[in-house]
Amino acid sequence: MSKTILIATDKPFAKEAVDLIKAVIDQNPGYELKLLEKYTEQSQLVEAAKEADAMIIRSDKATKEVINAGDRLKVIVRAGAGYDNIDLAAASAKGIVAMNTPGQNSNAVAELAIGMMIYMARGKFNGKSGSELKGKTIGIHAYGNVGKLVADIAKGFGMKIYAFDPFIKDEDIEKDGVKVVHSVEELYSKCQYVSLHIPANEKTKNSIHKGLLMSMPNNAVLVNTARKEVVCEEGLKIVLNERPDFKYLSDVAPDCAEELIGKYQERVYFTPKKMGAQTEEANINAGVAAVEQIIAYFEKGDKRFQVNK
Ligand code: 3PG
C-alpha cells in the first residue's frame, strides 16, 4: 500500500510549489499526495490526518487531537522555521517524528522585515517627507537564519548593525561585520530599529516588555516577523501611549490590533495575514525540502531535522 503525504495548508503554497512537491512524489514510487488547502475548520485537519502517513504543514495547528487522529501518521514536517504550532509532546508520545525545514524560507522573511521598515520610514508612502535607513542603528534580536539575512540586507542599506544571540559565538557574528552585544538591555538601548527573530516558547513569550521598549533611542521602531506572542501586549500599549515617537510593525497582528490601529494608526502596521514566508521562492524551497525530508525519513530513516528529540 502506498504512503499518503498530506499537504495541509490553511494558507496555501504557491501553485508552482505544489506542482514541484507533486513532481518529487511522482518520481518516488510508493507515495501519493493528498491536498487539504484553505480549510476553515480544525475538524477538517483532524479528519484528513486519519488518512495520512506523513503531513506537511505551515502555521497549521498540529494539536494533540490532530496527532492522535493519525493512526498511520509517522512524520510531520513544518515547512518553515517555527514549530510552536506542533504539540511536540503528543507527537513524541506516539513515536511521530516532527521536523522543520530551517533556512528554507528565511530570505522571504528577511525581505519583509526590511520592506516593512522602509514602508514605515516613508510614512506608509503618504507623500510627506519621511526618513532613510542609511546610517541608522539596527539591533538583530537572535542571529539565526533570518536574523543573519536581515543583517546582510541592512548592511547594503548602510545601517549600523548590532546583534544579540547567546547561542552563537561572537566571532561567527563579528565576521559578518556585525557588532555583538551581550544583553538584550544593551541591544534595545543602543538601537533605533530592533528586528525580532526569537522563537516563541515558554521562556520568550511576553519577554519583549515595556522596560526594553522604553529604553530604545528616539524614533524607535520594533519590527516583529517572529511571533506575536513574544511581545508583551500590555507593555506595548503603554509604550505606544507614552512615546509618541515609538512605532510597531508586525507580521501577524497582535490580539489588541484593533485598539492600536484605532489609537495610533500612523505608528503601527500589521500584515493582514502572516506574510513573511509568502513568496513563490520560499514556498518552493520549504515545500520541496519538506517532501524530500519525508521520503528520506521513510527510505533511509534520516531524522536530521527532527525537533522532538
Ligand atoms: C516560519 O516559522 O517559518 C514562518 O513563520 C512562516 O510561517 P508560514 O509558513 O505560516 O507562512
Side-chain angles (χ1 to χ4, degrees), residues 11 13 57-60 78-84 101 105 109 225-227 251 274-278 283:
K11 181 179 58 187
F13 288 128
I57 56 169
R58 296 185 65 181
S59 291
D60 308 82
R78 195 280 189 243
Y83 43 86
D84 48 310
T101 64
N105 59 17
V109 181
T225 53
R227 292 288 182 270
D251 185 23
K274 196 159 165 227
M275 288 284 298
Q278 212 39 338
N283 292 172

Side-chain angles (χ1 to χ4, degrees), residues 20-31:
L20 285 168
I21 294 170
K22 192 170 181 332
V24 174
I25 291 176
D26 290 346
Q27 282 159 19
N28 285 274
Y31 296 92

